[in-house]
Amino acid sequence: MGLFSKFFSGKKNEPAPKERTVLSIEIGDILTYDLRDYEVVGKITYRDGNYEWYGYQLLEGNDTIWLSAEMDDELELGIYKKVQLAVSKPYPKEVTYENKTYYLEESGTARVIGEGRSSNLQGTETNYADYADTGEANYISLESWGNEIEASHGYPIEAYEIKIMAGSI
């Protein structure tokens, strides 16, 4: 390769985007799930003591879903959508949604780091409660944001169901 070929080859020495995992997704990445492409528009990092997990806000058109990712004894992933559920604090031991009963699995308080559309949550705390049905095929997640309690309905997925394309370095 000659001296001038470096200048005229058209190639730029830009680093390739880092490979993403479900625990390192960034704002602007594109996720393919269930044959649909979603842009990552928000990210929430939750910390309860030394334990950390993530919520990614995924947008496709007007459709918003959330991907939950945490490394417990093994990787746990879930897809969630916001739902209307009348709940107040203190959180109950069980909740009913669409004629199905969900039982409290864990609850606590988490410090929050928000990015993208979730940046307004930066530095706040949320009281959370996670519920599962008897077969652990469906979940309900409750989070308090100020005086509001947000409810989401979800289900577990496997990592191979998601493809991640880095939107930045």
Side-chain angles (χ1 to χ4, degrees):
M1 182 179 258
L3 175 64
F4 291 108
S5 62
K6 285 186 179 180
F7 296 111
F8 298 109
S9 68
K11 292 183 180 177
K12 296 180 180 171
N13 291 333
E14 295 179 9
K18 293 180 182 173
E19 185 175 337
R20 300 281 201 257
T21 70
V22 290
L23 298 175
S24 66
I25 294 170
E26 297 291 337
I27 302 297
D29 289 352
I30 303 297
L31 270 65
T32 301
Y33 170 70
D34 200 24
L35 302 176
R36 294 176 75 184
D37 293 332
Y38 294 89
E39 180 183 0
V40 179
V41 295
K43 177 179 179 180
I44 302 174
T45 303
Y46 300 87
R47 289 193 179 118
D48 186 352
N50 292 328
Y51 192 69
E52 185 174 85
W53 68 99
Y54 305 96
Y56 302 102
Q57 184 179 15
L58 310 179
L59 179 67
E60 191 269 337
N62 292 324
D63 193 16
T64 299
I65 60 174
W66 287 84
L67 170 65
S68 171
E70 63 182 281
M71 181 59 77
D72 205 346
D73 292 333
E74 58 187 37
L75 181 63
E76 295 180 14
L77 300 173
I79 295 291
Y80 289 83
K81 279 193 105 154
K82 288 184 185 178
V83 296
Q84 296 298 316
L85 189 63
V87 179
S88 60
K89 290 199 289 187
Y91 293 136
K93 297 285 185 215
E94 59 184 58
V95 295
T96 301
Y97 175 70
E98 293 187 341
N99 299 318
K100 188 179 284 192
T101 302
Y102 295 80
Y103 302 93
L104 181 65
E105 288 198 322
E106 64 182 318
S107 63
T109 301
R111 288 175 289 122
V112 172
I113 298 170
E115 300 174 49
R117 289 193 181 175
S118 302
S119 61
N120 61 322
L121 302 174
Q122 183 71 25
T124 62
E125 285 190 344
T126 182
N127 293 310
Y128 66 90
D130 294 325
Y131 298 80
D133 62 9
T134 52
E136 294 193 359
N138 292 279
Y139 304 121
I140 295 289
S141 174
L142 302 177
E143 297 175 348
S144 66
W145 302 105
N147 294 327
E148 183 182 326
I149 296 177
E150 190 175 279
S152 299
H153 175 260
Y155 52 89
I157 64 168
E158 298 294 332
Y160 68 82
E161 296 181 71
I162 293 179
K163 301 292 180 244
I164 306 166
M165 187 170 67
S168 61
I169 298 174

